Amino acid sequence: MSHQFPIRVYYEDTDMGGIVYHANYLRYIERARSGWVRQLGNDQNAMREGGLVWVVRRVEAEYLSTARFEDELIVESTVRKVTPARLVMDQVVTRAGTPIFTAVVTAVCMNSKGQPVRLPAEIRALMR
């Protein structure tokens, strides 16, 4: 199961050298994950009202090349593994089909007390 999310690089995304500032790739992959779970039917507002939120536990990132102002990028997100307690995803940012950034992201759910909890069964079913 995978999802593609388009991103256009805006001037505000770039540093003094005219390339995308490294931390913005994390924003791009976050937008892609949020868009994907919304598309799958996971209402994060309802989830929060029910006392659960998604949090990123771990990110392994590799910067392969640079993106610049006005570049059109695609973030492809693919489920690597779903367990009762975590979701592990591969996320790749490409420009014209060429990977420029890759990440392995581990997300978990926490309750309103900030304690880790099992992923709800309906969420696990959406990700398979």
Side-chain angles (χ1 to χ4, degrees):
M1 173 186 290
S2 68
H3 176 262
Q4 293 191 347
F5 188 83
I7 298 278
R8 178 178 292 278
V9 176
Y10 293 101
Y11 183 76
E12 67 185 21
D13 296 327
T14 62
D15 61 16
M16 289 181 61
I19 60 175
V20 171
Y21 180 66
H22 72 280
N24 286 331
Y25 289 96
L26 298 177
R27 292 174 190 250
Y28 297 162
I29 65 175
E30 175 68 34
R31 287 180 205 156
R33 285 192 310 276
S34 293
W36 190 15
V37 297
R38 183 182 313 109
Q39 181 181 335
L40 288 172
N42 177 220
D43 183 341
Q44 293 185 70
N45 286 319
M47 201 172 141
R48 185 183 63 243
E49 290 168 7
L52 294 178
V53 293
W54 284 107
V55 296
V56 171
R57 183 178 184 282
R58 179 180 173 88
V59 175
E60 298 173 47
E62 185 170 8
Y63 299 85
L64 305 171
S65 187
T66 59
R68 297 184 179 276
F69 175 61
E70 290 290 344
D71 279 353
E72 294 180 8
L73 311 175
I74 299 290
V75 180
E76 183 168 358
S77 305
T78 307
V79 172
R80 178 185 277 199
K81 183 178 181 182
V82 179
T83 73
R86 67 187 63 165
L87 167 64
V88 181
M89 302 179 73
D90 291 312
Q91 292 192 276
V92 179
V93 178
T94 62
R95 182 186 51 239
T98 301
I100 62 171
F101 173 86
T102 63
V104 178
V105 179
T106 301
V108 299
C109 284
M110 295 185 90
N111 64 21
S112 58
K113 296 177 184 176
Q115 300 165 320
V117 296
R118 293 171 71 86
L119 301 179
E122 62 274 10
I123 301 264
R124 288 194 315 268
L126 288 173
M127 300 295 169
R128 294 186 189 256

